């Protein structure tokens, strides 16, 4: 599965970069014989609906030629938004000091879901503070993670 994700990333990233955007991440969600390919793009000046449509057309053309996903799939292009998913150590570094939610691949201390303050990164471990304790989770043990938006009252 990691190789398929890497192959998709290698195929899509140059297209997105050539159009002046950062490829934030990719989610390939299998749903029986149908699946969804969600591409998250980012740019400092923001992402518009038109930007998503333009990138969708370009990526779709490449995907039609290369055909890396067997069967039918739906292509979606989006900004990562406020509750943005975090995929890489660089993402965790960039969002240090924010609240995040993590879902682990395997339970730790009897649970798989954690939510707290992202304290930083040490080596390949993500540091999370919650309930007065600090937890270290190796990046490979994290199944999914996203920023939890905080709103001032």
């Amino acid at each position: 599965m990691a190789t398929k994700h890497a192959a998709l990333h290698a195929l899509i990233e140059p297209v997105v970069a050539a159009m002046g955007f950062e490829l934030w991440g990719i989610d390939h969600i299998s749903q029986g014989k149908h699946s969804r390919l969600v591409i998250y793009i980012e740019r400092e000046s923001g992402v518009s609906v038109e930007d998503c449509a333009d990138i969708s057309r370009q990526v779709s053309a490449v995907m039609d030629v290369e055909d890396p996903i067997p069967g039918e799939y739906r292509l979606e292009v989006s900004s990562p938004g406020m509750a943005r998913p975090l995929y890489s150590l660089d993402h965790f570094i960039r969002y240090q000091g924010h609240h995040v939610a993590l879902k682990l691949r395997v339970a730790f201390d009897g649970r798989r879901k954690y939510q707290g303050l992202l304290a930083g990164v040490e080596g390949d471990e993500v540091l999370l503070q919650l309930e007065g304790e600090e937890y270290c989770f190796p990046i490979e043990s994290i199944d999914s993670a996203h920023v939890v938006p905080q709103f001032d009252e």
Side-chain angles (χ1 to χ4, degrees):
M1 186 70 156
T3 358
K4 180 165 190 121
H5 188 272
L8 286 170
H9 196 278
L11 189 64
I12 295 167
E13 198 276 332
V15 175
V16 172
M19 295 181 72
F21 292 85
E22 173 188 357
L23 177 59
W24 186 263
I26 299 171
D27 284 332
H28 180 227
I29 303 132
S30 295
Q31 299 167 321
K33 63 181 178 177
H34 302 285
S35 61
R36 284 183 3 191
L37 178 62
V38 183
I39 299 170
Y40 296 104
I41 59 172
E42 179 73 307
R43 181 170 61 182
E44 196 172 310
S45 62
V47 176
S48 71
V49 173
E50 292 80 19
D51 295 331
C52 292
D54 291 344
I55 288 182
S56 179
R57 281 190 287 280
Q58 293 298 317
V59 168
S60 186
V62 170
M63 297 292 283
D64 287 347
V65 170
E66 298 295 328
D67 201 24
I69 300 174
E72 296 178 30
Y73 66 92
R74 185 173 68 225
L75 175 63
E76 299 174 17
V77 178
S78 174
S79 160
M82 291 177 64
R84 65 186 50 227
L86 304 173
Y87 296 99
S88 67
L89 283 173
D90 179 57
H91 290 166
F92 286 99
I93 291 167
R94 286 162 70 174
Y95 281 87
Q96 180 176 334
H98 289 79
H99 283 81
V100 298
L102 306 175
K103 182 178 174 189
L104 302 177
R105 296 182 195 283
V106 178
F108 174 77
D109 271 353
R111 60 194 265 208
R112 291 183 57 204
K113 294 180 181 180
Y114 288 83
Q115 185 171 319
L117 183 69
L118 179 55
V121 171
E122 282 186 13
D124 67 345
E125 293 188 333
V126 174
L127 308 176
L128 190 68
Q129 291 178 345
L130 67 140
E131 301 164 359
E133 302 220 12
E134 187 168 274
Y135 294 85
C136 297
F137 299 112
I139 187 84
E140 65 271 1
S141 72
I142 300 172
D143 187 41
S144 63
H146 68 272
V147 174
V148 177
Q150 301 291 304
F151 300 100
D152 296 330
E153 293 185 31

